[in-house]
């Protein structure tokens, strides 16, 4: 019985670590290329960058905007694809996050 419980417990801990990162911007959805683990520094970077992009977009009169960015550190690349859309003067967005080995 112990042999069955341990892998399940480790799996649950791993899933919690993957999604322990709280990235939240009003009216934005966040998707991941695959199950990835983000550090707290990467979470802050993504959250702050998306907030900044949203604020910059609010200052324009554009109806839509798409941005692709990548951040390289050590042996990994963090990739962001941000799509923003203005509907009735509200900003909505979708963010795709990827993390890849170089």
């Amino acid at each position: 019985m112990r042999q069955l419980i341990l892998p399940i417990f480790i799996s649950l801990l791993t899933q919690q670590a993957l999604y322990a990162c709280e990235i939240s911007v009003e009216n934005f959805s966040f998707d991941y290329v695959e199950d990835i683990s983000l550090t707290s520094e990467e979470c802050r970077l993504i959250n702050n960058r998306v907030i900044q992009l949203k604020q910059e977009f609010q200052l324009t009169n554009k109806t839509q905007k798409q941005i692709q960015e990548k951040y390289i550190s050590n042996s990994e690349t963090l990739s962001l694809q941000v799509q923003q859309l203005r509907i009735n003067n509200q900003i909505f967005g979708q963010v795709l996050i990827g993390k890849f080995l170089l």
Side-chain angles (χ1 to χ4, degrees), residues 19-31:
Y19 301 109
C21 178
E22 284 295 323
I23 301 174
S24 178
V25 177
E26 186 179 0
N27 295 329
F28 275 64
S29 66
F30 292 84
D31 296 308

Side-chain angles (χ1 to χ4, degrees), residues 4-19:
L4 286 174
I5 293 175
L6 188 58
I8 293 170
F9 182 69
I10 291 172
S11 176
L12 289 173
L13 286 177
T14 303
Q15 284 182 342
Q16 282 185 332
L18 290 174
Y19 301 109

